[in-house]
Amino acid sequence: TPMNKITVAQVCERAGYHRNTFYLHFHDVYELLEDVESVLLQDVATCVESCMVRLTKDAGKIARIAALKDVVLFYERNKRFIVVLLGPQGDPSFALRLKEVLKPLWKRYVIDQGESQRSEQEINLILEFTLAGSLAMISQWLQDPRGLSAYELGHLVYDTAIKNAAR
């Protein structure tokens, strides 16, 4: 069901709560969506930063792939939200907000580690390209993960996005 077609009654029925309880916490379904997205964005930022901090101790390829695997596993644990939010009927602003949360982390831990001679515009373009591609790969994998482990996906994301961005 597209986000703009979901009603408070449907949410309450699915969650097993009365409408009055819903309205004690939220004004409408969009406020609920904003709350879910904000928590998810904070959690993904915490997960990614934790992995990136580990990489300051060891930034080799194996350590980067292991960190990416941990991030992919986070996405996998939160699959039911991420597939919907990043999917074709999800919230288009969520992907934008997710990239905005991740950009400073990728810039600090990936781009700055590899190359400081690029212009700010080049760095922003690289960040947009690598984040959009990485999120698309993860989203597609979450919809159909058959045959590819989280570690293998981390390896693929590293080889296609991060390795070249860090040069």
Side-chain angles (χ1 to χ4, degrees):
T1 304
M3 295 303 300
N4 62 352
K5 303 283 186 201
I6 296 174
T7 66
V8 171
Q10 289 172 318
V11 170
C12 291
E13 182 180 322
R14 188 97 188 255
Y17 290 103
H18 192 272
R19 288 173 62 96
N20 292 341
T21 304
F22 178 90
Y23 286 116
L24 283 174
H25 300 281
F26 306 103
H27 182 74
D28 56 24
V29 292
Y30 295 103
E31 189 176 342
L32 169 63
L33 176 62
E34 175 71 28
D35 189 62
V36 168
E37 288 180 359
S38 294
V39 169
L40 190 58
L41 289 169
Q42 181 58 49
D43 289 350
V44 76
T46 300
C47 173
V48 169
E49 182 145 36
S50 170
C51 291
M52 296 294 190
V53 166
R54 284 192 348 240
L55 290 176
T56 61
K57 297 173 179 73
D58 178 5
K61 180 178 179 179
I62 300 299
R64 285 180 186 238
I65 293 169
L68 278 169
K69 179 194 80 160
D70 290 347
V71 172
V72 169
L73 288 172
F74 170 85
Y75 282 109
E76 193 173 35
R77 282 191 307 275
N78 293 280
K79 175 181 179 174
R80 63 184 183 183
F81 300 114
I82 293 170
V83 166
V84 171
L85 292 170
L86 291 178
Q89 296 182 359
D91 180 3
S93 70
F94 179 74
L96 297 173
R97 292 176 60 205
L98 181 56
K99 286 190 286 187
E100 289 307 311
V101 165
L102 295 175
K103 274 182 185 180
L105 298 172
W106 279 49
K107 183 178 185 301
R108 184 177 336 132
Y109 294 108
V110 176
I111 303 290
D112 287 348
Q113 298 294 318
E115 181 84 45
S116 60
Q117 298 173 353
R118 291 189 168 128
S119 73
E120 195 64 31
Q121 183 180 18
E122 288 174 313
I123 289 171
N124 286 333
L125 291 170
I126 290 167
L127 287 170
E128 181 63 31
F129 178 78
T130 58
L131 284 168
S134 298
L135 291 174
M137 288 170 67
I138 291 168
S139 179
Q140 183 67 39
W141 178 78
L142 287 172
Q143 291 175 35
D144 184 16
R146 292 176 294 176
L148 199 62
S149 69
Y151 180 82
E152 291 167 322
L153 180 63
H155 197 288
L156 189 59
V157 170
Y158 175 82
D159 283 345
T160 58
I162 293 180
K163 179 171 61 173
N164 292 326
R167 286 188 188 174

